[in-house]
């Protein structure tokens, strides 16, 4: 795959990968671990990694043997489900590059190719929670999102329904903020412009994500509670004399 592909091109590559793996877009939630275990020429293991922050490893075969994906046996099934998708992107879309092994850390390391890691993260998110599926769910729920608890509850339901972590849902809300904004304005999905955060910045676009709106609701609620608390303190600071008349 082109190392410098756009986000739209990456999504098309993920769509092609779904077809190659015979996974309909409507087939949700995805069990990436079972799917990878069933793939020929791919070996999957779950060693308990001791390296801090290491979540997964993938190695491309150079001798005709199977490719290898290793997932951290210390992590939860849902965390490994996403990491498995991440490593699958490496072994399927990054075969033509010079790298023959990839290490997935909680945070990217200086020696990692950040663009390939972005492709793997964004690609895994599109596999597990496709934009075409998520955007209608957001539009349906959006009128009921009034408080930070509403947003939090919505994230939890998406995580449960798609068998991913809430961190992945949060990542998806951030990654798709421009697309979500377009869709909520009434633009059909087929006409939604798919644009990465970097390209949005280059175009001078500054879009609030659902995460930003959640944070604003929380700040407003916290400010309201602080004002109530201050009024209570002010009340208790008044010395009310007992009226004996």
């Amino acid at each position: 795959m082109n190392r410098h592909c756009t986000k739209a091109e990456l999504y098309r590559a993920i769509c092609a990968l779904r077809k190659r793996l015979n996974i309909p877009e409507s087939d949700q939630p995805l069990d990436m671990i079972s799917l990878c275990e069933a793939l020929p020429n791919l070996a999957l293991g779950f060693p308990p990694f001791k390296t801090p922050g290491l979540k997964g490893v993938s190695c491309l075969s150079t001798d005709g043997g199977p490719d290898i994906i290793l997932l951290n046996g210390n992590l939860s099934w849902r965390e490994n489900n996403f990491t498995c998708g991440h490593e699958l992107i490496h072994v399927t879309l990054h075969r033509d590059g010079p790298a023959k092994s990839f290490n997935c850390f909680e945070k990217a390391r200086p020696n990692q190719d950040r663009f390939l890691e972005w492709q793997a993260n964004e690609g895994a998110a599109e596999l597990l929670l496709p934009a075409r599926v998520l955007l209608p769910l957001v539009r349906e729920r959006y009128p009921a999102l009034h408080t930070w608890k509403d947003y939090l509850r919505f994230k939890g339901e998406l995580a449960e329904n798609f068998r991913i972590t809430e961190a992945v849902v949060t990542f998806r809300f951030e990654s798709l903020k421009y697309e979500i904004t377009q869709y909520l304005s009434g633009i059909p999905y087929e006409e939604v412009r798919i644009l990465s955060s970097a390209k949005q910045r280059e175009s001078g676009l500054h879009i609030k994500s659902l995460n930003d709106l959640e944070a604003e609701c929380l700040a407003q609620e916290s400010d309201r509670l602080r004002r109530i608390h201050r009024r209570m303190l002010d009340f208790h600071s008044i010395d009310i004399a007992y009226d004996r008349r």
Side-chain angles (χ1 to χ4, degrees):
M1 172 171 199
N2 181 357
R3 183 182 176 282
H4 298 289
C5 74
T6 65
K7 182 177 172 182
E9 289 170 338
L10 175 63
Y11 280 21
R12 286 194 288 271
I14 296 303
C15 183
L17 177 61
R18 277 181 166 274
K19 290 179 180 178
R20 190 178 358 146
L21 297 176
N22 197 29
I23 307 172
E25 200 168 59
S26 59
D27 189 4
Q28 300 293 338
L30 283 186
D31 182 343
M32 295 305 305
I33 294 173
S34 295
L35 187 151
C36 286
E37 286 177 332
L39 289 178
N41 300 317
L42 179 63
L44 191 64
F46 299 85
F49 295 149
K50 295 183 179 180
T51 303
L54 182 61
K55 302 176 73 174
V57 174
S58 54
C59 301
L60 304 180
S61 173
T62 57
D63 59 4
D67 297 322
I68 297 173
I69 290 179
L70 301 177
L71 304 174
N72 192 340
N74 296 317
L75 299 180
S76 70
W77 185 92
R78 288 191 186 185
E79 288 176 293
N80 278 329
N81 198 38
F82 179 81
T83 303
C84 190
H86 175 109
E87 301 303 339
L88 182 64
I89 301 301
H90 283 315
V91 301
T92 54
L93 301 187
H94 298 154
R95 304 195 69 86
D96 297 333
K100 298 306 173 187
S101 65
F102 303 89
N103 294 331
C104 171
F105 286 92
E106 194 168 320
K107 293 184 179 180
R109 300 296 176 91
N111 63 336
Q112 288 183 292
D113 188 319
R114 298 183 70 87
F115 199 82
L116 294 186
E117 291 306 308
W118 168 77
Q119 286 185 351
N121 278 329
E122 190 73 36
E126 175 65 7
L127 266 176
L128 287 157
L129 185 51
R132 185 183 292 273
V133 174
L134 176 60
L135 266 58
L137 295 176
V138 170
R139 185 167 64 183
E140 179 183 340
R141 189 63 169 271
Y142 188 72
L145 299 178
H146 303 297
T147 71
W148 65 271
K149 291 181 180 179
D150 295 332
Y151 286 93
L152 195 63
R153 189 177 301 111
F154 185 34
K155 285 182 181 179
E157 291 173 5
L158 288 172
E160 182 67 27
N161 292 338
F162 288 87
R163 302 180 77 179
I164 52 181
T165 65
E166 290 186 22
V168 174
V169 178
T170 299
F171 170 78
R172 207 67 177 127
F173 281 176
E174 199 65 33
S175 170
L176 290 172
K177 60 185 177 182
Y178 183 44
E179 293 81 359
I180 288 172
T181 299
Q182 293 174 76
Y183 195 73
L184 288 177
S185 72
I187 297 176
Y189 182 80
E190 290 71 22
E191 298 176 22
V192 167
R193 189 182 179 197
I194 307 294
L195 209 59
S196 69
S197 296
K199 292 299 181 182
Q200 290 173 43
R201 289 192 296 271
E202 289 179 14
S203 302
L205 296 170
H206 302 285
I207 310 295
K208 287 184 179 180
S209 68
L210 295 183
N211 300 318
D212 295 325
L213 297 179
E214 177 188 354
E216 288 179 0
C217 287
L218 178 58
Q220 291 168 2
E221 178 71 8
S222 298
D223 186 57
R224 185 183 71 85
L225 291 175
R226 281 194 295 269
R227 289 198 302 271
I228 292 174
H229 187 240
R230 281 198 298 270
R231 286 200 297 270
M232 291 177 64
L233 291 176
D234 289 342
F235 173 80
H236 288 299
S237 67
I238 298 174
D239 184 14
I240 303 178
Y242 180 65
D243 188 349
R244 295 177 179 275
R245 289 176 297 175

